[in-house]
Amino acid sequence: MASVRTVVDRVGPTLLHALLLPDEPPPVADVVIAEPGTPGHLAAGDLVLAVAVTNPADAVTLVRCCAKKGAAAVLFKPPLAAKPSVKRAAKAADIALIEVSAATSWAQLVWLLRTVLDALTDEAESPDNGGDPGGGDLFRLADAVAAVVDAPVTIEDTNSRVLAYSARQDITDPARVSTIMGRRIPDDVLARFRSRGVFRELSRGRQTIFVPEQRDGTLPRLIVPIRMGGELLGSMWAVVRGPVSDERAAAFADAAPVVALHLLRRRAHADAQRRASAELLRAVLQGKASPRKAIAELDLAEVPHRVVVIDTPEDGSRDAEGSRLALLERISSGIGWRPVATELAGLLYAVVPDGDAWTELREVLAQAKTRRGAPRVAAGSASEVSELARSRAEAEEAFGLLRAGLVPGRVVSFDEEWTALALHRAATAAGAAKVAELGPLQAIRAHDEAHRTDYTDTLYEWLRHPGDPRGAALSLRIHPNTLRYRMRKLGELVPIDLDDPDVRLALLTQLVSLRWA
């Protein structure tokens, strides 16, 4: 039997959120609707839907009753699930407490939960079935919907990719042929539908959308959005000969909730696979997983790879995770394949083969933008799969320089920034040894702070440009005569022999420790 956590993960965070999960809840056996005053029908392992509960006192009573019967979890809609008294009761009774999205229909949730339980049962009985659960069911469902609407049908996701299509495509046009052959609506056809406002209408939640025949010969379309819990999951497109009767349109629309259940089941499976891959990749990046297992299960080639760290301007905000996932989708679209990726400490980590694949990904990332700006990217050096933990550490070190503004640009790699890394490591070691506190430098810095002069910066640039006062002045954005004046005043301020090469080297070491630490 399935665990509560597995069921919640399969349904997904759009509809269900686990507020409390005991360490060892009973396995899920069935889905039942709680009826006020009749707790006798509850049984061990039930997922109990609190459909008729409207106040915290009744919610607490139901939680305690379910716990006594051995139920697996109690499901409430907001705000009951988050009420302190309800949470305390669930914790004391050691029963799972699940919050259901406010926009979710209880009836649809019952069907969905039972579909998920059936799918989990099938997987348990056939552990080697693999593949895409519900994929064949979705094609059979497309056939059934085509019979209802009496027209050939495609079922598509929100990115206009074809997930399934009906067997009968007798009414067709070049756009439909290209859509099925390419498994997505072609860009030029998309542009025509977009100009007619089709996708705007889909996002607004219209029950059915009719698009008349177009001048290029594209046949009429009847389109139905597929929604669950207020979220747009995709759409169904039927090629029709002309305007459709209200009865046929209504029958077409009535099939949408059933399709939504299949799409959610499909997405839940994909999410579960993605989570498993992400967990394995996290272990690989931390040096805690077998390279052989990573190569086999993450489909990595036995070639050197780079670990790439990506952050977005939304990091730390409520939209951060969604922004990173959306960025990964755009990256995948731009390069035609999806990098193996995961999240660690609020950053997106991707693993990409070195060579052309890294060059291609780098170009896409350099042009990528989110709603709040452009992402920052740092890559480790090319490493064997067994050394990805080292590449990750290198990527993080390079990213630290990028985040601190010590290197220019938005996309850097460890092997290209070796000079900055060498200076930073040396500065870090010198800082720990308090090198900058020795000699006359402290007096120079104190004078700058007290009199708002720039002798410290002037000395740093003069030492960086030996014998090149014009270059030093250019870095400071001052005239060379101003540079000479400052250096003369510096000699009057502190006793310092700048003709001694060891003095110059020591001062430069001190100044590097201040600039690069």
Side-chain angles (χ1 to χ4, degrees), residues 125-154:
E125 292 174 355
S126 304
D128 299 323
N129 60 2
D132 179 10
D137 289 344
L138 204 56
F139 277 85
R140 288 192 290 272
L141 187 54
D143 286 338
V145 174
V148 168
V149 76
D150 192 25
V153 167
T154 57

Side-chain angles (χ1 to χ4, degrees), residues 132-357:
D132 179 10
D137 289 344
L138 204 56
F139 277 85
R140 288 192 290 272
L141 187 54
D143 286 338
V145 174
V148 168
V149 76
D150 192 25
V153 167
T154 57
I155 299 173
E156 303 172 12
D157 66 12
T158 53
N159 294 314
S160 298
R161 289 190 292 257
V162 176
L163 303 177
Y165 53 88
S166 62
R168 49 169 300 190
Q169 297 290 331
D170 49 321
I171 308 173
T172 191
D173 54 25
R176 172 52 64 88
V177 173
S178 299
T179 296
I180 291 178
M181 292 294 291
R183 298 306 295 268
R184 74 183 306 274
I185 300 178
D187 291 340
D188 59 330
V189 179
L190 267 177
R192 290 200 296 272
F193 284 126
R194 190 172 286 113
S195 67
R196 286 178 165 267
V198 170
F199 295 98
R200 186 166 56 251
E201 293 297 326
L202 276 173
S203 65
R204 289 175 178 172
R206 287 277 301 276
Q207 189 174 20
T208 57
I209 302 163
F210 177 73
V211 182
E213 184 174 359
Q214 301 182 41
R215 291 180 180 178
D216 64 354
T218 300
L219 294 174
R221 300 290 197 271
L222 184 65
I223 309 166
V224 169
I226 302 170
R227 293 181 173 276
M228 178 69 80
E231 179 186 3
L232 181 66
L233 303 176
S235 54
M236 292 188 294
W237 296 60
V239 178
V240 294
R241 299 184 185 277
V244 176
S245 67
D246 291 343
E247 291 78 9
R248 281 177 62 198
F252 190 31
D254 286 345
V258 181
V259 178
L261 297 178
H262 284 264
L263 294 190
L264 279 173
R265 177 182 171 187
R266 178 192 182 98
R267 187 174 69 178
H269 178 77
D271 286 346
Q273 287 186 318
R274 193 174 294 120
R275 279 192 296 273
S277 296
E279 288 292 339
L280 176 57
L281 181 57
R282 277 194 284 271
V284 170
L285 295 181
Q286 294 167 344
K288 298 178 180 178
S290 160
R292 284 290 165 195
K293 183 178 181 181
I295 290 171
E297 297 189 20
L298 298 177
D299 198 24
L300 298 177
E302 293 191 59
V303 298
H305 285 69
R306 290 178 184 265
V307 176
V308 183
V309 181
I310 307 165
D311 91 321
T312 60
E314 288 85 352
D315 280 344
S317 72
R318 291 186 303 172
D319 299 330
E321 182 179 3
S323 178
R324 286 190 289 271
L325 294 175
L327 177 63
L328 182 59
E329 290 298 329
R330 287 197 296 276
I331 292 169
S332 304
S333 175
I335 61 179
W337 47 275
R338 187 184 182 97
V340 180
T342 188
E343 281 193 273
L344 269 173
L347 295 171
L348 186 63
Y349 286 73
V351 174
V352 57
D354 191 33
D356 292 343

